[in-house]
Amino acid sequence: MIFRLNMRRQRKTARVNLGKETTATVKIVLDKLENLPFLTLETVDSSHASSGAPLAVGIVVPAFQAEEFLDDCLASVRAQIFQNWRCYIIDDGSTDRTAEIGANWERLDNRFRLIRHGKNGGLSAARNTGLREAIEPLVTFLDADDLLVRKSLERRVEIMQRDWLLAEVAGSWAVTLQVPEETTVEQAEALDGPHDGKVVDFVSSAGECPFNAHAPLMRTDLLRLLGGFDEQMKRGAEDWDLWQRVLRHGYIFKPAGRLSGVYRQRRSSMVRNDSVGHLKEADRLCEDAHRAAKVEEQVVVDKAASLPVGLLKGAEIRLHRASTYLGLCLVSTGDPEILCTHEIIGFLRPMTVAQFQYLDVTKWVTAGINRGLGLGVASQNVDEKDKERIQQLAMAGAEHLQVLVRSLVSDLVLQEGDVVDIRRCKEGVDVLLLAETSADVAPLAEIGKRLKEERAEVSYLNIDVVKGDEGAARWEETPFSGYSYGDVALGRVKTSKLIVRRPFGPVTVELIKSLGDKVEVVAVDSPERELELTCNLGSSLSIKTWESIDATKKITQFVKCQETRGPESLLTTNYGRLLHKEEGALDLRSAELFDELHNKHVGETVVIVGNGPSLNETPVEELGGVPTFGVNGIFYAADRFPDPITYYVVEDTSVFRENTKEIKGFETSYKFFPTIYRDAFSDDEVTDQMIFFRMNAGFYDRGTGTACHPRFSVDPRQRLYCGQSVTIINLQLAYWMGFSRVALIGMDFSYTIPDDVDRKGDVLTSNSDDVNHFHPDYFGKGKTWKDPKLDRVLVNYRLAGEMFAADGREIVNATVGGNLDIFRRMDLLEAIGRK
């Protein structure tokens, strides 16, 4: 029952929750209370307004190398009695069947959505991706190796539905049990039943982690406004960190009092493998709990929670003593004005509202009254009317103490000193440098150094996690600190200037469009670079270039941490949802073979053999003992080489379809094919020298935002990018294998399209001998080939050259004649060290 107490002498109206303890009887001397008739009592409705429409839940499942557990995890999601949910499966750059399993569930039930990271970013980054993508008002996190019981969502949503309009309720939580990793869904369900639970607030948690990652169900917008998970925390405790940030803004979590699910303790878990690292993070968090905290002023619901936990616990002791003192004074003076004494105000310390909810202040005041009257515990001679009046008096005293404490909170100003900053925006920077590839790092770093000399705060922005690994990790070799895409998307870092290089991929385009009206965007380009095609998504973006601004002008605008004013438009990228439209599946066995080839040829030279007419004039017989790459119909010239081709690659679908028998029979050390051709081989035909790679064909696809955008993968275990020529695949493989020099031969870079070809779009069918290759049957009569579009090949060649150069390696052109002039020319024998 909730009562309203009207304290007429103070002209205050307050609300207080009366617990069962108010029925206790006391004996009191009526004469001393006759001059205290300043209370009236009335009942009010105790029901809370509900949120109205049923709430929807987003379930975020971060998954890395999770093939062993993911099916069971997602089965437990689909088995939920509560049906209004969507599950975001975040494949964090796995090289096992994680993405395949996620895609299977997506096809089975459209409430599942697979999002793939282009590169492993860690647990916090994966959770933040799901947090940004979720469109539901409530969100919960479920690790890929854990399980929910069937009523997990239902029982937590019920609490949030009831308390949705109570701003201080951040979420609801239910118990999770630790179980062996072999535990099944059925075994988890058998563990369901009543479990103790209590309201969780900052003081009751004492700075400790109150529950594991998938125990709470929370308000989505609140987590975004607080910055989500800290992506700099790579060694665990990232959930503990976020829960404490929520609690230190004064929020509470309501208990469901039942089971949510089970936490399967994997023998290879992060905590077990790095217990020292986890302990270091725990040490920091424990220390932070005993420091005052700077909080988001516009998000906070109880500023007292920003005080050190030790001070708040000490305030409980002071409140207990003040309650007793107040009871004594009320009886001894009979003066209600004692409620405002300066002595009590000076003795009290700020406390949180949540603390009052589990402290029995009314009982403490009653004890003071008893002590003042010298009554002890005797109460038999007190009638019911007197009991009620004394109880009202004690309640009024308790409520007024809370009013006094809250007045201290309203005047609370944190003093400079030992204060931890837990606001979303940790720091603002003058300039963020954004590199698409490792080729961009050095020129951007030079600009950054110049700006740093002018006292600008300069950092870099790493977007590899959402777009794919193209070597931008080279930033770690520079003196600059870095931030992730999630840091910007969730407002953890703000900037005045974003410096980028053309051409722009879809992630960069989104950043420019989203931030362009808030920050100055500057493009850095070199006229000789020639990397941008008009069909590229970002080619139409008109922004300032570095040459057009005063590079010597000092940075004056500095974006500081701004107060959060409410839900903001959220920066997201749908590129992770489109990756599987661009790419084939992974081949698990091949990923292991790629590991064996990594840096196998450091310091060596490889010859990539093109198939132009000039190959007939090239001394390939001198290539004995030299590693080689051959492609497509090179089998027509196999007898000219002193050794079998070392690495053989086929990308083109027409080539594979029309030459399958020859391709399978061609003898070579290694063969590389896209995984889309795996079904063309029987298990007996697949050998340990045959590798299937995930081919990313986004360069050709206008539906994903990456059409005409040159890319270069530094990790073929994840993907190899198409680039209008199979040679681009070869160059990425050569980079992975560590070759210091790549010599190109047979790259005439000149095509003649005969008048007698049949054309259907970009596909051409020959009706005569092939004049563009070293053999007339290469694309001879009846064979299909594609419009070469040399301008598109050129931008990919140029990027490949920059990638090798950025790593201190080189690509040279040893072709006899031809029109490919962007690489340094070199005689073949000189290139392979035989001249």
Side-chain angles (χ1 to χ4, degrees):
M1 178 72 68
I2 292 179
F3 295 87
R4 178 178 289 117
L5 297 173
N6 298 315
M7 294 177 281
R8 297 193 301 272
R9 292 283 295 273
Q10 292 182 261
R11 298 180 181 177
K12 292 182 180 288
T13 298
R15 291 167 63 89
V16 62
N17 194 329
L18 301 187
K20 294 181 180 179
E21 75 279 356
T22 60
T23 61
T25 57
V26 295
K27 179 179 180 181
I28 198 160
V29 179
L30 294 178
D31 291 344
K32 287 195 174 184
L33 296 177
E34 287 179 350
N35 62 338
L36 297 177
F38 61 98
L39 303 175
T40 61
L41 190 66
E42 59 177 304
T43 62
V44 297
D45 185 10
S46 63
S47 63
H48 299 308
S50 70
S51 63
L55 297 171
V57 176
I59 307 167
V60 176
V61 179
F64 176 66
Q65 305 296 81
E67 63 177 1
E68 184 179 356
F69 301 97
L70 186 57
D71 260 328
D72 283 348
C73 172
L74 300 182
S76 77
V77 171
R78 194 165 189 255
Q80 290 300 296
I81 291 177
F82 180 83
Q83 294 288 301
N84 193 11
W85 54 263
R86 188 192 305 263
C87 181
Y88 302 87
I89 309 161
I90 316 299
D91 172 25
D92 190 25
S94 302
T95 55
D96 64 359
R97 294 181 56 250
T98 294
E100 178 186 342
I101 293 169
N104 290 339
W105 282 93
E106 191 175 45
R107 286 188 290 269
L108 175 66
D109 188 328
N110 61 14
R111 291 176 297 176
F112 290 97
R113 174 170 291 183
L114 173 64
I115 303 170
R116 282 182 28 217
H117 276 175
K119 178 184 177 181
N120 178 258
L123 191 54
S124 291
R127 287 175 177 159
N128 281 345
T129 294
L131 177 61
R132 295 196 311 269
E133 292 284 342
I135 60 174
E136 295 75 21
L138 291 170
V139 66
T140 188
F141 302 92
L142 176 65
D143 289 352
D145 51 358
D146 295 334
L147 305 169
L148 299 179
V149 296
R150 295 177 67 242
K151 293 185 177 181
S152 178
L153 295 182
E154 179 185 59
R155 54 188 47 146
R156 289 181 288 167
V157 170
E158 181 181 357
I159 293 172
M160 292 307 296
Q161 192 82 45
R162 182 194 67 199
D163 291 343
W164 184 252
L165 299 184
L166 298 181
E168 70 273 16
V169 179
S172 57
W173 72 280
V175 174
T176 55
L177 300 178
Q178 295 186 1
V179 297
E181 70 173 42
E182 298 83 6
T183 302
T184 65
V185 176
E186 292 76 16
Q187 291 170 334
E189 200 65 44
L191 297 172
D192 196 9
H195 290 272
D196 291 336
K198 62 181 180 180
V199 171
V200 172
D201 69 287
F202 174 56
V203 179
S204 67
S205 74
E208 175 58 283
C209 187
F211 30 61
N212 78 357
H214 73 254
L217 176 71
M218 294 154 290
R219 298 176 188 262
T220 307
D221 284 343
L222 176 61
L223 293 192
R224 289 172 178 164
L225 292 172
L226 292 176
F229 294 90
D230 187 345
E231 296 187 22
Q232 307 303 317
M233 296 181 68
K234 303 288 188 181
R235 307 184 74 177
E238 68 292 323
D239 53 344
W240 178 358
D241 172 73
L242 179 54
W243 310 155
Q244 284 302 316
R245 270 185 282 132
V246 173
L247 296 174
R248 297 211 72 171
H249 283 78
Y251 293 93
I252 64 173
F253 292 90
K254 292 286 192 74
R258 306 282 292 188
L259 191 66
S260 171
V262 295
Y263 172 74
R264 294 197 282 193
Q265 300 179 88
R266 293 175 60 179
R267 285 179 283 273
S268 60
S269 68
M270 182 171 61
V271 173
R272 293 190 183 191
N273 292 337
D274 186 17
S275 56
V276 173
H278 192 278
L279 192 62
K280 287 183 177 179
E281 294 289 3
D283 181 61
R284 176 183 64 82
L285 291 168
C286 287
E287 289 294 324
D288 286 350
H290 288 272
R291 301 164 65 191
K294 289 183 179 180
V295 295
E296 300 278 5
E297 292 292 343
Q298 303 303 316
V299 179
V300 68
V301 293
D302 190 346
K303 194 171 183 179
S306 65
L307 292 171
V309 68
L311 290 182
L312 292 171
K313 293 296 290 185
E316 293 183 7
I317 298 173
R318 287 177 173 270
L319 178 63
H320 192 171
R321 179 68 61 175
S323 301
T324 304
Y325 170 77
L326 179 62
L328 284 165
C329 291
L330 282 172
V331 172
S332 62
T333 66
D335 183 4
E337 295 298 331
I338 196 65
L339 293 171
C340 297
T341 57
H342 294 295
E343 289 83 357
I344 290 182
I345 294 175
F347 185 74
L348 292 172
R349 294 293 183 271
M351 294 177 60
T352 69
V353 172
Q355 284 178 276
F356 273 87
Q357 294 179 351
Y358 57 75
L359 296 178
D360 196 345
V361 182
T362 300
K363 183 177 180 180
W364 294 344
V365 176
T366 302
I369 294 173
N370 287 343
R371 185 174 177 182
L373 297 172
L375 296 178
V377 296
S379 59
Q380 289 84 353
N381 298 326
V382 180
D383 62 33
E384 293 301 319
K385 182 178 179 181
D386 295 333
K387 293 176 187 176
E388 182 177 344
R389 293 186 65 199
I390 294 308
Q391 189 61 45
Q392 292 174 16
L393 177 64
M395 288 163 49
E399 176 59 26
H400 191 69
L401 285 171
Q402 184 170 8
V403 171
L404 294 179
V405 170
R406 296 314 296 170
S407 69
L408 298 176
V409 174
S410 64
D411 297 332
L412 180 62
V413 177
L414 295 181
Q415 300 298 315
E416 294 297 328
D418 192 18
V419 178
V420 59
D421 191 346
I422 64 169
R423 293 174 296 180
R424 174 176 62 169
C425 180
K426 289 301 181 69
E427 54 186 301
V429 297
D430 298 308
V431 179
L432 274 178
L433 307 171
L434 172 57
E436 288 272 357
T437 71
S438 62
D440 300 326
V441 173
L444 288 174
E446 284 302 313
I447 292 173
K449 290 175 184 176
R450 289 167 57 187
L451 293 172
K452 204 166 185 179
E453 290 172 358
E454 298 166 9
R455 306 198 175 201
E457 187 71 27
V458 182
S459 296
Y460 67 86
L461 176 60
N462 191 331
I463 60 174
D464 280 357
V465 169
V466 289
K467 77 172 183 65
D469 189 355
E470 296 183 64
R474 189 173 294 279
W475 276 118
E476 296 173 3
E477 302 170 11
T478 71
F480 303 108
S481 59
Y483 297 96
S484 69
Y485 177 89
D487 288 329
V488 172
L490 289 168
R492 282 184 159 270
V493 59
K494 298 181 185 294
T495 187
S496 304
K497 188 187 298 290
L498 179 69
I499 300 182
V500 295
R501 278 192 101 198
R502 291 185 181 273
F504 309 138
V507 179
T508 301
V509 169
E510 182 182 356
L511 280 163
I512 292 172
K513 289 183 175 180
S514 299
L515 303 179
D517 61 341
K518 305 179 184 71
V519 304
E520 182 180 14
V521 181
V522 179
V524 177
D525 207 357
S526 303
E528 71 279 3
R529 201 174 187 214
E530 297 176 13
L531 279 172
E532 189 152 83
L533 298 164
T534 56
C535 50
N536 181 284
L537 176 67
S539 63
S540 62
L541 291 181
S542 178
I543 58 178
K544 292 181 180 179
T545 61
W546 182 252
E547 291 78 8
S548 70
I549 68 171
D550 184 356
T552 64
K553 184 178 180 180
K554 292 184 180 296
I555 302 295
T556 56
Q557 178 189 5
F558 184 83
V559 177
K560 299 181 182 298
C561 298
Q562 302 295 323
E563 292 183 349
T564 302
R565 290 177 171 80
E568 302 173 354
S569 59
L570 191 66
L571 178 61
T572 63
T573 175
N574 64 0
Y575 184 56
R577 297 199 296 273
L578 298 175
L579 274 175
H580 60 287
K581 293 184 178 181
E582 296 184 356
E583 302 178 344
L586 280 174
D587 183 75
L588 308 186
R589 181 190 60 86
S590 296
E592 297 175 358
L593 294 174
F594 272 124
D595 280 331
E596 296 175 8
L597 291 173
H598 190 215
N599 289 331
K600 180 180 179 179
H601 296 285
V602 172
E604 298 181 37
T605 295
V606 66
V607 174
I608 295 181
V609 183
N611 297 324
S614 66
L615 192 64
N616 293 323
E617 304 172 34
T618 304
V620 297
E621 63 275 1
E622 300 290 338
L623 294 178
V626 178
T628 54
F629 273 93
V631 301
N632 298 342
I634 191 61
F635 46 76
Y636 285 114
D639 58 351
R640 291 187 54 202
F641 289 83
D643 302 323
I645 293 294
T646 316
Y647 302 109
Y648 174 65
V649 183
V650 176
E651 170 199 339
D652 189 276
T653 54
S654 296
V655 170
F656 186 83
R657 183 181 63 252
E658 295 171 0
N659 301 277
T660 303
K661 182 178 179 180
E662 292 82 357
I663 289 170
K664 288 184 175 182
F666 183 46
E667 292 187 6
T668 180
S669 298
Y670 285 89
K671 293 181 179 180
F672 295 85
F673 305 107
T675 53
I676 57 176
Y677 303 148
R678 176 59 180 83
D679 291 343
F681 295 86
S682 67
D683 291 341
D684 292 339
E685 292 176 315
V686 176
T687 69
D688 288 341
Q689 284 69 47
M690 191 176 294
I691 301 177
F692 295 91
F693 59 89
R694 175 190 271 164
M695 181 174 68
N696 184 299
F699 188 82
Y700 311 127
D701 186 357
R702 297 180 185 276
T704 61
T706 54
C708 301
H709 178 59
R711 291 177 286 176
F712 191 97
S713 173
V714 298
D715 187 356
R717 296 169 301 179
Q718 283 291 344
R719 63 186 54 81
L720 291 171
Y721 293 112
C722 294
Q724 205 68 42
S725 168
V726 66
T727 304
I728 306 304
I729 300 291
N730 297 344
L731 289 168
Q732 292 170 84
L733 290 170
Y735 185 95
W736 174 257
M737 295 178 192
F739 286 107
S740 295
R741 174 182 289 167
V742 175
L744 306 178
I745 61 174
M747 303 291 181
D748 294 52
F749 214 64
S750 175
Y751 278 84
T752 297
I753 299 179
D755 294 335
D756 63 347
V757 300
D758 295 328
R759 177 185 283 272
K760 188 175 182 179
D762 290 336
V763 178
L764 309 174
T765 303
S766 295
N767 290 304
S768 56
D769 289 346
D770 186 350
V771 298
N772 296 306
H773 294 86
F774 67 85
H775 195 284
D777 293 337
Y778 193 95
F779 281 141
K781 186 176 181 179
K783 289 192 174 181
T784 58
W785 48 296
K786 295 181 177 66
D787 187 337
K789 297 183 180 178
L790 295 182
D791 60 330
R792 301 189 184 190
V793 177
L794 189 66
V795 297
N796 285 283
Y797 276 169
R798 194 175 292 279
L799 175 60
E802 290 187 2
M803 293 291 288
F804 272 81
D807 204 31
R809 301 189 263 175
E810 66 174 342
I811 302 172
V812 299
N813 185 9
T815 299
V816 177
N819 299 317
L820 184 59
D821 297 320
I822 65 170
F823 300 121
R824 181 167 71 97
R825 291 276 186 168
M826 183 178 283
D827 179 79
L828 175 59
L829 296 183
E830 181 184 357
I832 62 176
R834 295 184 180 174
K835 185 176 180 180

